[in-house]
Amino acid sequence: MPDEIHHDGAHLHRPSPAADSRLPLRETCIVGAGSSGVTVAKALHQRGLSFDCFEKGSDVGGMWRYENDSGLSSAYASLHLDTSRDNLGYPDFPIPKSMPDFLSHQQFLRYLEDYADHFGVRPLVTFRTAVEAVEREPDGHWRVRLSTGEARRYRTVIVANGHLWKPRLPGFPGAFAGEALHSHHYRTAQPFEGRSVLVVGLGNSAVDIAVDLCRRAADVTISTRRSAWVMPKYLFGRPIDQWSGFFSKKLGLPTRWTRRIMARLVRLGVGDQSRFGLPRPDHPMWREHATLSQELLPYLGHGWISVKPNVRRLDGGDVEFEDGSRKRFDAIVYATGYEIAFPFLDADAFDPQAEAGRLYRRMVSLRHPGLIFAGLVQPVGPTIPLVEVQGRWIAALLSGAMTLPDRAAQEREVEQHRARQRETYVDSARYVLEVDFRTYVRQMRADMQAGQAGI
């Protein structure tokens, strides 16, 4: 590992007199051992790099470990992945063909555990140890305080603990007298047996939960602010991402054209979703992250689930909607997404609201190059294989096999990426982490091949 990583005048130096010389300087700290932290650890290990990896829970898995003792998992009992088996896994460890098209969270966790064991990662993780504070020292290094009370100093900190754990709740006027919870805390439909339930949201979790609930609850209603395009998991008998993969990989079509073709095929295979009472969004399908569900439209057609517009006001046991209608509910499940938050990072080191969408190559802090994020993305395409490439990119950087451009070039890269986001996706905070899988992976691979990250 070089003594310095140059970054347009900002360096990671050997300890200055201002630093606490009583603590030895270590190379790298990885925060988290979920699907991102494990593959980053694997990549660094393969490069022979020294690192410490800390996991709050008692084993690998992160959000995929149901009822994880870390307290951070959002997995519910019926959760299945939306990416099909052949597109889901890490590229250097394919998921066995004996597994189903769409894995459950239990099946994916077993695969993740096998991956960690295959590459010898699990013995390298310190479990039951949370990172409680990461502070930047005057010399550019990082002081990491652990839940054990110990403090350590590092040249580099890699944040890989995920961003789907802090619930974001809407600020509807009024108050609700019944039970209200965020989807983060939803586990099974059993507590809602025979009750009237409102699910707020129309993303993948909202639809999954509504479908799960309608088999046990007395009635289920979905409330949506601007609606969403719903795509089936299977189209013409095959997982839908295999069709999009055919157009993008086999035929080499640009992502935008692939998504436009897919929109037409979905309309042909499924029909007009407004016929099921689900409004058509004002924007075209290719401009958003579509919601995947095989069951929602048929269940709407069976009357098991109904649809309402956005909530106008909460009024005791009643909910008033923007179309003027009112309905009484026993419970509300808010499937309204998550805030990006890293409570162990001081705002002086990293402000998630301002900087989460402004990382060089979606990983490196512009202000503090020794602060790197893994998995802080939402791709059009699968996340798991993308983060594996991120891990190898980070390992190339930290090993000295690849260098960063200067600060001005990094800022240009960020601005170019943000401009592509604005022209491609709906203007919403939901898309601040959006990346195109093909473009992004191609960029990272080109960087590693050249030994110089570009723009």
Side-chain angles (χ1 to χ4, degrees), residues 217-450:
D219 66 83
V220 175
T221 301
I222 285 180
S223 168
T224 173
R225 182 176 51 181
R226 64 166 184 255
S227 194
W229 293 104
V230 175
M231 299 177 69
K233 283 189 169 182
Y234 286 94
L235 188 64
F236 308 127
R238 301 190 69 85
I240 197 163
D241 58 0
Q242 292 185 11
W243 288 106
S244 57
F246 170 77
F247 294 116
S248 63
K249 296 175 186 177
K250 297 291 187 183
L251 301 186
L253 297 180
T255 299
R256 182 178 296 189
W257 281 104
T258 295
R259 300 191 80 200
R260 284 175 166 168
I261 292 171
M262 291 304 301
R264 301 267 182 141
L265 287 177
V266 169
R267 182 66 184 270
L268 177 65
V270 176
D272 184 355
Q273 68 181 43
S274 64
R275 183 184 176 279
F276 298 88
L278 192 63
R280 290 168 54 87
D282 293 333
H283 51 272
M285 187 182 293
W286 60 268
R287 293 205 67 195
E288 75 160 5
H289 220 77
T291 296
L292 265 66
S293 175
Q294 196 70 26
E295 298 100 339
L296 178 63
L297 296 184
Y299 281 16
L300 289 171
H302 283 80
W304 288 11
I305 301 172
S306 58
V307 180
K308 287 285 188 180
N310 198 32
V311 172
R312 176 182 291 166
R313 182 176 179 80
L314 305 174
D315 187 11
D318 290 349
V319 176
E320 181 182 340
F321 298 97
E322 289 187 343
D323 62 358
S325 63
R326 294 172 65 91
K327 186 172 180 179
R328 181 164 290 268
F329 293 98
D330 300 307
I332 299 177
V333 178
Y334 292 106
T336 46
Y338 295 86
E339 296 181 17
I340 302 170
F342 302 100
F344 49 83
L345 279 173
D346 186 272
D348 290 339
F350 184 76
D351 179 357
Q353 305 312 310
E355 298 182 77
R358 298 189 56 79
L359 298 169
Y360 173 70
R361 282 290 193 254
R362 326 292 72 78
M363 289 178 278
V364 180
S365 167
L366 294 178
R367 293 192 294 129
H368 308 306
L371 182 62
I372 302 174
F373 294 81
L376 192 56
V377 288
Q378 178 174 292
V380 177
T383 301
I384 302 301
L386 183 148
V387 178
E388 193 274 339
V389 182
Q390 280 190 331
R392 288 190 283 114
W393 189 97
I394 292 169
L397 175 65
L398 298 185
S399 69
M402 183 186 72
T403 58
L404 295 176
D406 62 29
R407 171 71 177 267
Q410 291 185 44
E411 290 178 340
R412 286 197 301 274
E413 190 272 347
V414 169
E415 290 306 320
Q416 289 173 7
H417 170 70
R418 296 287 287 150
R420 285 193 296 270
Q421 280 183 319
R422 287 190 293 270
E423 71 182 24
T424 303
Y425 306 110
V426 174
D427 183 17
S428 167
R430 180 184 181 190
Y431 294 97
V432 70
L433 302 180
E434 201 79 12
V435 295
D436 173 55
F437 179 94
R438 289 179 61 206
T439 300
Y440 185 38
V441 167
R442 185 168 59 244
Q443 290 170 337
M444 289 189 288
R445 286 175 175 163
D447 291 346
M448 289 186 283
Q449 184 174 3

Side-chain angles (χ1 to χ4, degrees), residues 151-169:
R152 297 186 182 185
R153 294 177 64 240
Y154 294 93
R155 296 182 189 277
T156 305
V157 172
I158 301 171
V159 179
N161 66 315
H163 59 279
L164 301 176
W165 63 270
K166 184 177 181 181
R168 182 173 60 230
L169 293 167

Side-chain angles (χ1 to χ4, degrees), residues 32-278:
S35 56
S36 296
V38 163
T39 195
V40 171
K42 182 267 300 185
L44 268 61
H45 184 52
Q46 289 180 329
R47 287 270 186 179
L49 298 174
S50 173
F51 65 89
D52 296 325
C53 180
F54 299 106
E55 165 58 42
K56 185 178 181 181
S58 58
D59 208 338
V60 299
M63 69 166 289
W64 301 108
R65 184 169 293 280
Y66 183 68
E67 299 284 42
N68 195 328
D69 56 9
S70 70
L72 300 178
S73 176
S74 301
Y76 39 92
S78 63
L79 175 64
H80 281 69
L81 284 87
D82 292 323
T83 302
S84 69
R85 178 197 61 231
D86 294 342
N87 293 317
L88 173 65
Y90 299 107
D92 51 358
F93 194 74
I95 296 175
K97 297 286 188 182
S98 59
M99 300 193 91
D101 288 338
F102 294 97
L103 276 65
S104 69
H105 61 84
Q106 300 100 323
Q107 291 167 326
F108 182 75
L109 176 62
R110 287 198 297 272
Y111 164 77
L112 182 57
E113 291 173 330
D114 290 345
Y115 177 84
D117 292 338
H118 177 80
F119 290 105
V121 171
R122 204 176 334 211
L124 305 177
V125 180
T126 303
F127 295 107
R128 299 183 179 90
T129 304
V131 171
E132 294 192 339
V134 175
E135 300 166 341
R136 189 170 185 266
E137 295 188 324
D139 61 3
H141 296 137
W142 300 92
R143 184 183 181 92
V144 175
R145 180 166 52 83
L146 304 173
S147 57
T148 60
E150 181 184 2
R152 297 186 182 185
R153 294 177 64 240
Y154 294 93
R155 296 182 189 277
T156 305
V157 172
I158 301 171
V159 179
N161 66 315
H163 59 279
L164 301 176
W165 63 270
K166 184 177 181 181
R168 182 173 60 230
L169 293 167
F172 296 138
F176 181 62
E179 179 183 2
L181 71 156
H182 190 273
S183 58
H184 176 74
H185 302 289
Y186 177 88
R187 294 296 178 265
T188 71
Q190 188 275 330
F192 303 91
E193 181 87 40
R195 303 169 74 188
S196 178
V197 186
L198 173 66
V199 178
V200 178
L202 197 58
N204 288 325
S205 294
V207 168
D208 277 357
I209 290 170
V211 167
D212 194 36
L213 281 168
C214 76
R215 302 184 181 106
R216 303 287 293 269
D219 66 83
V220 175
T221 301
I222 285 180
S223 168
T224 173
R225 182 176 51 181
R226 64 166 184 255
S227 194
W229 293 104
V230 175
M231 299 177 69
K233 283 189 169 182
Y234 286 94
L235 188 64
F236 308 127
R238 301 190 69 85
I240 197 163
D241 58 0
Q242 292 185 11
W243 288 106
S244 57
F246 170 77
F247 294 116
S248 63
K249 296 175 186 177
K250 297 291 187 183
L251 301 186
L253 297 180
T255 299
R256 182 178 296 189
W257 281 104
T258 295
R259 300 191 80 200
R260 284 175 166 168
I261 292 171
M262 291 304 301
R264 301 267 182 141
L265 287 177
V266 169
R267 182 66 184 270
L268 177 65
V270 176
D272 184 355
Q273 68 181 43
S274 64
R275 183 184 176 279
F276 298 88
L278 192 63

